Amino acid sequence: MKKSKIAAILSALFMGAGQIYNKKIVKGILLAALELYILIFGIPYFQYSLWGLCTLGETPQYFVNGHVYGDHSVRLLMNGILSVLLIAISVAMYVYNIKDAYRTAKRAEEGKKDRVPKKFLDKVDRLFPFLMLLPAVVACIFLVIFPVVSSFTIAFTNYSSPYHIPPKNLIDWVGLDNFKKLFTMKIWSGTFSHVVIWTIIWGLITTFTTYFTGLFLALLTNAKMVKFKKLWRSILVLPMAMPGFISLLIFRLMFNGMGPINQILNNFGIDSVRWLTDPTIAKVTLIGVNLWLASAGTMVYISGILTGISPDLYEAASIDGATESQKFRKVTLPLVLYQTAPILVMNLAGNFNNFGTIYLLTDGGPTNTSYQYAGSTDILISWVYKMTMNVNQYSMATAISILIFIVVALVSVINLRRTRAFKEEDMIE
Amino acid sequence: MRKLSLILAMTMVIGLVGCNKSYSNTAPETEAKESGSDVAGTQTELKPEADASLVIWEDDDNRFEYMKYVAEKFKEKYSINVEVKKMLDIGTKLVQDGPSGLGPDLLEAAHDQAGSLLTAGLIQPNDTDAQEVKDNFPSSVTDCLTYEGKLYGYPMTLSTFVLIYNKALVKKAPESFSEIFDFAKEFNDPSDNKYAIMWDVTNSYYSHCFIAGYDGYIFGNNGTDPNDIGLNSKGAVDGLTYLKSFKSILDVNSADVNNQIIDGLFTSGKIAYTIGGQWNITQYQNAGIDVGTCVLPKLDNGKDALSYLGVQTLYVNSYTKYPNASKLFAKMAISEEMLQKRYEITKEIPARSSLADSEAIKKDEFSSTFMAQAQSSVPMPAIPQMSNVWTPYGNAMKAVWDEDQDPQEALDTCVDTIKSLYE
């Protein structure tokens, strides 16, 4: 038998054995120690966590002499997912160990030089990139993948009030039941479809209104004929300088049915307007307030782009006899759009989940009794918030979050990949 | 080679899962046996754990003072250290910290908030002192704290709401709500935001008093039967219709009536009556208003409006390390002497029967009103299903008040919504 095969089989039998056979003693001992550790401490923990992950606990809470016993389903779930990640890492190490033993022996057979340098410092040099990347990989696994996966799994359980809230009661896997309910049960699907439609309208309108208002303001504050540019710009940036939630709460008081705005209207003999309590007017109010709040930001970065456009282009256009509107359409707009398209897409994704504005201004209101725990102006994310915070419907809320995630991720990925800013180095030739 | 290693790895993992052993967290055999004797109720006097020291979460300044007082007395008697911590939003914090053992040993909460703690299994049933509580507290109180036949917590004080009025605007406390309707005819001036009465109309906490006055109820069998929601019964519909009649003297949109608006208008003398609790009175007095209180007046059907009764209760955390010491502390905190002290500090109505007739309460203008109101009140259901009632119930009120929806239709929707979460 060839040495490479022997090394691979040895490593498959016990991690590190093949490496020792290849005379890579330190590596071999380290790998063997890892396997020993997994066998002694890892296996019992994995068994326990996988049992927890499969069953989500078997004994509901009970008391004996004031001491509490029983399983906590959510903890078992988290623990289970953590150990699945750890098992995946162990398996990856195991596969690497076999491959490594095979490859090293193979190189020796083929008479190639050993790739690993002899000097210690050179060895460190070779490992350096891996050492530097390690913290990022660990952080990615435990701070991104672990929380995302474990919250997603909630959508496939029945974690909800009143009968399935741990630690008092156990929760169970229910498969796709929550999604089925969302699409087929009338009381859920009715709310869901209405909220989705409003979320899409809200996302599109807010993104485009703030973008074009910002563009308009930027053009105004950069126009040659405008005096005191800095003053106007500073005034327009003020909404950004104040914390958004404070402005929103003040708007809420101002738009109150008995608030100052209606009082002023009344003084002019105009009837009160139901700014926040009529479903349609409330939506318009929301879009208006969001415009006030967010267009300053767009104005600032479009201003930056405008100052960066070479005056030569305009000069050349003038010589060719272009009118002001032609200059805008053929020079300014394409250059601005080209540079801001990625931001526009991210804004769209952000506005889909613009929780703050909705929550602080209308709190999803006015009430709509035909909706399940949602108001007329609730977008998906504020509906999710209400379901988790007010009625503890965690599983349904996560199911909806997953749908939001899929939509937002798809839109972002497709758009970003089609945006030229990410493809071409240079548009101006 | 790759295939071989993958197959080997897979078999390892499958081998792990294949083990069907149970790892459930159950009580050790010895403890389970000991508990056998408790069931009969023959347990002798509790002994505090040797190394015990307790932590208590408390949310309010005055109550904090009281709890510290009890802690001192407790230390004198058992020489156990008790730390009282001021904590806001106790319920939410306990949900996070309770199961990991970072929570307190005892905590104070309103019994209706405890519903969600109960659902989550964060508070212990009161097994050792149940009889003591039943003997010394009225049944309206113990009903509030009973769930599935078990008593939870140690009741301390009662909380409810009454009619509050501005003495500068109102000469004599009204006997019935129709008097307020008459008063409104001359007092109201919507262009100046002047209204005879204003309260958070579609907050079901307050407005349930009208529905209850017309024999509407939430959950049958004294608020313990989750399958009998009762909110679309004839009584509830009549009550809601009556509530709607207030719109003729309070023509505002429900979303525009919030606590900030009400407090602002009341303290500037623009509204004469409001519905509120102890906390509102102090606030209005501080704003320089001569505040008067009376029990909720009679409804058009000649019956009393029935306010919600809440019980401020001391609960033992499920995850306490010192259950015995905690229970001893709670028992001491609800003793006659301590609750008398609590009344002196916080002015809250003691729940204990023996203190109900106390001279101090009778003499106090506000306390006596609250005491009288507590007599014509309905306990707020404490069952966990209650947490799913507030939003749909309030929404039904809003639909009727703001959108002129038919009360029957609105309440039918409300009941359907609540039921949809049951399976």
Side-chain angles (χ1 to χ4, degrees):
Chain A
M1 201 188 277
K2 276 184 181 173
K3 273 198 163 184
S4 56
K5 284 213 167 147
I6 297 174
I9 289 167
L10 277 174
S11 267
L13 289 175
F14 203 92
M15 275 165 78
Q19 277 75 7
I20 294 173
Y21 174 76
N22 287 339
K23 304 225 167 59
K24 304 276 177 201
I25 306 295
V26 178
K27 197 189 240 176
I29 289 175
L30 281 176
L31 284 170
L34 181 67
E35 166 137 11
L36 272 178
Y37 184 82
I38 292 173
L39 284 178
I40 295 168
F41 300 104
I43 300 287
Y45 168 71
F46 289 155
Q47 280 178 334
Y48 163 73
S49 340
L50 290 175
W51 164 82
L53 188 62
C54 295
T55 60
L56 293 181
E58 286 169 348
T59 322
Q61 187 186 47
Y62 67 99
F63 293 93
V64 177
N65 294 339
H67 293 282
V68 63
Y69 298 95
D71 300 322
H72 191 316
S73 299
V74 173
R75 295 181 153 211
L76 290 174
L77 176 68
M78 300 293 155
N79 217 336
I81 290 162
L82 187 64
S83 69
V84 167
L85 285 176
L86 291 176
I87 289 174
I89 295 173
S90 316
V91 170
M93 286 301 291
Y94 179 67
V95 173
Y96 159 80
N97 137 72
I98 299 173
K99 274 188 179 172
D100 176 70
Y102 179 75
R103 261 190 256 130
T104 317
K106 188 99 177 166
R107 289 181 75 85
E109 278 164 23
E110 290 166 359
K112 283 184 193 160
K113 250 182 83 184
D114 199 343
R115 273 195 308 183
V116 182
K118 288 274 180 287
K119 279 188 196 157
F120 179 71
L121 275 180
D122 290 345
K123 278 185 187 172
V124 172
D125 222 30
R126 224 172 82 90
L127 283 175
F128 189 72
F130 297 100
L131 272 178
M132 286 297 102
L133 284 173
L134 191 66
V137 171
V138 170
C140 182
I141 291 175
F142 292 101
L143 300 179
V144 179
I145 297 178
F146 172 59
V148 167
V149 171
S150 44
S151 49
F152 272 23
T153 50
I154 301 279
F156 305 98
T157 67
N158 57 4
Y159 185 11
S160 62
S161 168
Y163 297 121
H164 299 285
I165 298 286
K168 185 176 179 74
N169 298 103
L170 300 171
I171 65 175
D172 295 305
W173 294 111
V174 295
L176 293 170
D177 274 11
N178 292 316
F179 294 93
K180 265 187 220 153
K181 260 196 231 166
L182 204 52
F183 289 110
T184 57
M185 231 171 104
K186 210 181 148 261
I187 198 155
W188 285 107
S189 64
T191 317
F192 182 65
S193 58
H194 281 101
V195 175
V196 165
I197 291 169
W198 163 235
T199 309
I200 293 171
I201 296 175
W202 161 255
L204 291 175
I205 292 188
T206 48
T207 309
F208 287 104
T209 51
T210 51
Y211 184 80
F212 287 105
T213 315
L215 177 64
F216 178 68
L217 292 176
L219 288 172
L220 273 187
T221 51
N222 280 289
K224 280 205 186 85
M225 57 195 130
V226 174
K227 303 282 177 231
F228 313 119
K229 281 180 192 157
K230 277 189 182 164
L231 174 74
W232 302 129
R233 223 173 277 164
S234 317
I235 292 176
L236 287 168
V237 167
L238 279 180
M240 252 174 79
M242 199 157 48
F245 75 96
I246 292 181
S247 338
L248 285 167
L249 288 175
I250 290 171
F251 269 117
R252 188 182 191 152
L253 277 178
M254 284 183 11
F255 282 116
N256 185 293
M258 286 176 273
I261 292 181
N262 274 343
Q263 295 262 301
I264 294 169
L265 289 182
N266 289 345
N267 290 344
F268 284 108
I270 305 166
D271 279 342
S272 294
V273 179
R274 295 171 59 190
W275 297 111
L276 300 175
T277 49
D278 177 85
T280 320
I281 301 176
K283 286 175 184 171
V284 176
T285 313
L286 271 171
I287 291 170
V289 170
N290 185 70
L291 186 65
W292 180 88
L293 208 63
S295 52
T298 327
M299 182 196 82
V300 170
Y301 61 70
I302 293 184
S303 288
I305 294 166
L306 287 180
T307 48
I309 298 177
S310 160
D312 301 355
L313 292 171
Y314 293 106
E315 212 171 291
S318 299
I319 291 167
D320 288 345
T323 61
E324 283 300 316
S325 86
Q326 276 174 324
K327 281 188 208 167
F328 171 71
R329 275 186 292 122
K330 301 286 182 185
V331 180
T332 317
L333 197 59
L335 283 171
V336 170
L337 272 179
Y338 159 69
Q339 291 194 45
T340 50
I343 301 174
L344 199 60
V345 174
M346 292 326 285
N347 272 355
L348 184 67
N351 278 324
F352 267 132
N353 291 331
N354 193 340
F355 173 76
T357 311
I358 305 270
Y359 177 73
L360 292 169
L361 198 60
T362 64
D363 194 11
T367 326
N368 190 330
T369 39
S370 58
Y371 288 4
Q372 182 89 319
Y373 300 111
S376 294
T377 59
D378 263 318
I379 54 173
L380 283 171
I381 195 75
S382 62
W383 186 34
V384 165
Y385 175 85
K386 283 184 178 172
M387 265 195 278
T388 40
M389 300 308 287
N390 300 351
V391 280
N392 298 348
Q393 299 298 308
Y394 301 106
S395 52
M396 193 56 97
T398 340
I400 297 168
S401 310
I402 291 183
L403 297 176
I404 300 178
F405 170 82
I406 293 173
V407 171
V408 170
L410 272 182
V411 169
S412 306
V413 168
I414 292 173
N415 271 300
L416 285 179
R417 296 193 65 154
R418 298 186 60 177
T419 304
R420 295 209 284 177
F422 286 93
K423 277 187 185 163
E424 294 172 26
E425 291 278 307
D426 192 13
M427 192 184 87
I428 310 157
E429 274 124 25
Chain B
M1 187 49 57
R2 177 176 289 171
K3 267 185 195 160
L4 173 74
S5 48
L6 269 178
I7 289 166
L8 278 169
M10 288 308 286
T11 39
M12 264 171 61
V13 175
I14 291 164
L16 279 175
V17 184
C19 300
N20 279 330
K21 208 176 129 196
S22 174
Y23 294 86
S24 229
N25 173 22
T26 47
E29 288 283 314
T30 47
E31 186 128 36
K33 263 179 209 155
E34 275 175 37
S35 75
S37 57
D38 289 355
V39 179
T42 53
Q43 197 184 17
T44 47
E45 186 70 16
L46 282 176
K47 281 211 179 75
E49 292 81 356
D51 57 342
S53 74
L54 300 177
V55 175
I56 299 174
W57 282 0
E58 182 60 85
D59 59 355
D60 172 283
D61 280 333
N62 290 332
R63 292 169 186 163
F64 181 75
E65 287 306 313
Y66 151 78
M67 210 50 94
K68 279 187 111 163
Y69 177 81
V70 183
E72 270 169 38
K73 296 283 164 197
F74 187 70
K75 189 170 183 192
E76 278 171 26
K77 193 169 174 190
Y78 295 99
S79 59
I80 290 173
N81 273 324
V82 183
E83 188 190 352
V84 188
K85 276 191 187 161
K86 206 179 293 173
M87 233 0 124
L88 290 173
D89 213 0
I90 289 178
T92 322
K93 289 213 174 69
L94 193 71
V95 171
Q96 291 158 1
D97 293 346
S100 38
L102 298 171
D105 299 286
L106 296 123
L107 60 137
E108 175 170 346
H111 86 274
D112 54 296
Q113 290 168 1
S116 59
L117 303 181
L118 205 66
T119 331
L122 299 171
I123 49 181
Q124 290 207 7
N126 178 352
D127 42 7
T128 46
D129 303 307
Q131 201 50 49
E132 153 109 9
V133 170
K134 278 177 191 151
D135 291 344
N136 291 298
F137 290 82
S139 63
S140 60
V141 169
T142 48
D143 280 351
C144 284
L145 305 182
T146 307
Y147 174 57
E148 285 182 346
K150 275 186 201 155
L151 187 77
Y152 285 80
Y154 295 76
M156 295 188 291
T157 54
L158 304 177
S159 63
T160 188
F161 48 87
V162 295
L163 190 69
I164 300 176
Y165 57 88
N166 187 338
K167 280 188 180 167
L169 303 171
V170 179
K171 298 207 172 53
K172 187 178 142 291
E175 296 281 318
S176 72
F177 274 107
S178 58
E179 287 176 36
I180 298 180
F181 277 82
D182 292 338
F183 173 77
K185 278 176 197 147
E186 49 196 86
F187 185 82
N188 274 15
D189 179 9
S191 64
D192 192 26
N193 282 338
K194 277 180 84 174
Y195 295 98
I197 183 168
M198 185 187 284
W199 76 103
D200 198 350
V201 270
T202 55
N203 182 337
S204 56
Y205 174 72
Y206 293 123
S207 295
H208 181 71
C209 67
F210 302 106
I211 281 84
Y214 276 89
D215 301 325
Y217 60 91
I218 306 179
F219 300 131
N221 196 9
N222 288 330
T224 54
D225 181 2
N227 295 315
D228 178 10
I229 297 175
L231 275 178
N232 53 355
S233 65
K234 185 171 179 307
V237 174
D238 291 345
L240 192 51
T241 314
Y242 180 72
L243 173 68
K244 177 69 196 278
S245 73
F246 277 91
K247 191 143 189 190
S248 64
I249 58 164
L250 182 60
D251 191 10
V252 292
N253 214 291
S254 71
D256 296 334
V257 193
N258 56 42
N259 290 332
Q260 277 162 300
I261 299 280
I262 296 168
D263 294 346
L265 292 177
F266 191 86
T267 48
S268 57
K270 294 205 172 176
I271 47 179
Y273 295 96
T274 186
I275 297 175
Q278 192 95 42
W279 55 95
N280 295 109
I281 295 177
T282 329
Q283 190 188 350
Y284 298 155
Q285 278 180 324
N286 291 342
I289 299 287
D290 190 4
V291 182
T293 55
C294 63
V295 292
L296 294 173
K298 289 211 180 336
L299 306 170
D300 275 8
N301 62 355
K303 288 189 186 168
D304 289 326
L306 301 174
S307 64
Y308 262 137
L309 181 69
V311 183
Q312 281 298 125
T313 310
L314 192 61
Y315 291 101
V316 179
N317 181 355
S318 294
Y319 293 87
T320 175
K321 281 189 208 107
Y322 312 111
N324 290 354
S326 300
K327 284 171 183 170
L328 285 170
F329 182 91
K331 201 173 166 185
M332 185 165 182
I334 62 162
S335 64
E336 191 171 330
E337 182 201 345
M338 292 297 159
L339 286 184
Q340 177 70 38
K341 189 76 194 170
R342 178 161 166 132
Y343 174 72
E344 286 161 22
I345 298 174
T346 69
K347 292 285 170 202
E348 289 173 287
I349 311 296
R352 213 176 169 90
S353 313
S354 58
L355 290 169
D357 301 323
S358 115
E359 281 301 311
I361 294 176
K362 275 185 185 160
K363 266 187 256 161
D364 187 284
E365 186 192 349
F366 300 133
S367 301
S368 55
T369 313
F370 280 99
M371 199 69 204
Q373 184 66 54
Q375 307 306 318
S376 65
S377 60
V378 282
M380 207 180 320
I383 59 174
Q385 286 80 358
M386 188 63 192
S387 62
N388 297 334
V389 169
W390 296 110
T391 317
Y393 192 17
N395 285 351
M397 289 177 173
K398 282 178 191 151
V400 170
W401 186 271
D402 296 328
E403 319 288 338
D404 280 322
Q405 216 178 75
D406 176 51
Q408 180 75 55
E409 191 189 321
L411 289 169
D412 284 342
T413 317
C414 159
V415 169
D416 285 346
T417 309
I418 298 168
K419 274 193 178 152
S420 74
L421 294 180
Y422 273 15
E423 76 270 357

